[in-house]
Amino acid sequence: MSYKQAHDEMGTPIKDVTISSKAPTSFLGDKHSEFIAAYGSKKDYKYEYAMTEYLRMSGIYWGLTAMDLLGKLHNMDKDKVVQFVKDCQHDCGGISASNGHDPHMLYTLSAVQILTLYNKVDAINVNKVVDYIKGLQQEDGSFTGDKWGEVDTRFSFVAVACLSLLGRLDEIDVDKAMEFVLKCMNYDGGFGCLPGSESHSGQIYCCVGMLSIIGRLHHINADLLGWWLCERQLPSGGLNGRPEKLPDVCYSWWVLASLKIIGRIHWIDKKKLETFILACQDDETGGFSDRPGDVVDPFHTLFGIAGLSLLGSFPDKIKTVNPVFCMPEETLERIRLHPQILS
């Protein structure tokens, strides 16, 4: 991989990457499912697997969702996964990244998403999960990630998404939660992690997703925000998270999902973005990396696949993804049709 210095219309230098003529141009679905299935079991991945224990629950969610979008979820060990999630729930109701770790809001959502994919939410104590999330809402409507008190708009999304999947959204003060998120809106239409913080594509996804779930998208200036998000596309076709940064496959999710939610996804050059995403595949091992030629991992593999799904690419190989929850639409439709599965 090499970096190049492009320029915008005003002559300002732009950081970007050069895509090799040898980069993949077709979707390597079978190789990606093999990569995910083998992750953690092959010798080559044992070090990485051991070193990522602190985010294991999210790692499982990334891998399983990628497999489900590829129609290969049945290749994973359902019973083993469900038992792992069950073992990570604490007495307080929260769920941790792995055994022996503290519970956290982020891993609680990943756990609920995993169990929702498998239709096994009843494997955990749902009432305790709800109590845990309720206990993390602050007076101003914000949420902390855990008992240590960090506040971030990511946790506002996580709380609302988790309770929505569980059919228990009415357990928190939704109006106050919305008020806090709106305080984090900036003059450019974007959102930061706290009031006054810089707009960032990841935070925008969280805030837009949260407002979508509670039905308050009308508070967003869709044209202004859509313009900011589309400015994230670089000459290579890739998307970055904020100005002056290199493109990264994961923003094919954070940026595109936000544009999809606000109805502005058609403002992106889809063909150029598809080319960039496909170039981030490893045609030997399978999997996606952040940029062409870098090392692949499950995180970027999920968001590369999900980004292609949002673009409508390869519909015969990739299921339709929900832009709010990053799960197959068919899974969420099952919940809508059969809400009793969460009771």
Side-chain angles (χ1 to χ4, degrees), residues 175-218:
D175 289 335
K176 275 196 170 183
M178 177 196 69
E179 289 171 6
F180 173 76
V181 166
L182 292 179
K183 288 177 183 176
C184 299
M185 184 187 295
N186 293 319
Y187 71 92
D188 55 17
F191 294 83
C193 59
L194 294 167
S197 296
E198 175 187 14
S199 294
H200 187 282
S201 299
Q203 305 296 149
I204 289 171
Y205 162 78
C206 290
C207 295
V208 170
M210 181 269 194
L211 293 172
S212 175
I213 293 171
I214 66 174
R216 311 291 175 85
L217 281 175
H218 59 279

Side-chain angles (χ1 to χ4, degrees), residues 215-271:
R216 311 291 175 85
L217 281 175
H218 59 279
H219 289 290
I220 292 174
N221 184 331
D223 285 346
L224 182 60
L225 177 57
W227 173 85
W228 190 92
L229 289 168
C230 288
E231 284 290 300
R232 307 280 60 76
Q233 188 163 35
L234 298 169
S236 66
L239 301 167
N240 61 18
R242 52 197 171 100
E244 300 301 317
K245 296 296 181 180
L246 288 166
D248 187 319
V249 155
C250 71
Y251 293 111
S252 303
W253 173 255
W254 313 119
V255 173
L256 271 192
S258 300
L259 286 169
K260 178 73 172 179
I261 295 169
I262 64 174
R264 301 295 187 276
I265 195 170
H266 58 287
W267 288 4
I268 282 287
D269 188 325
K270 295 185 178 182
K271 189 59 183 178

Side-chain angles (χ1 to χ4, degrees), residues 66-105:
M67 292 293 275
D68 202 358
L69 289 172
L70 294 172
K72 300 293 181 66
L73 185 61
H74 58 277
N75 290 345
M76 309 303 280
D77 191 331
K78 174 181 177 179
D79 292 339
K80 186 176 180 180
V81 169
V82 172
Q83 187 60 51
F84 175 80
V85 173
K86 186 176 180 180
D87 291 343
C88 289
Q89 184 170 31
H90 292 244
D91 290 339
C92 66
I95 298 172
S96 57
S98 190
N99 291 316
H101 291 246
D102 289 340
H104 194 283
M105 185 91 80

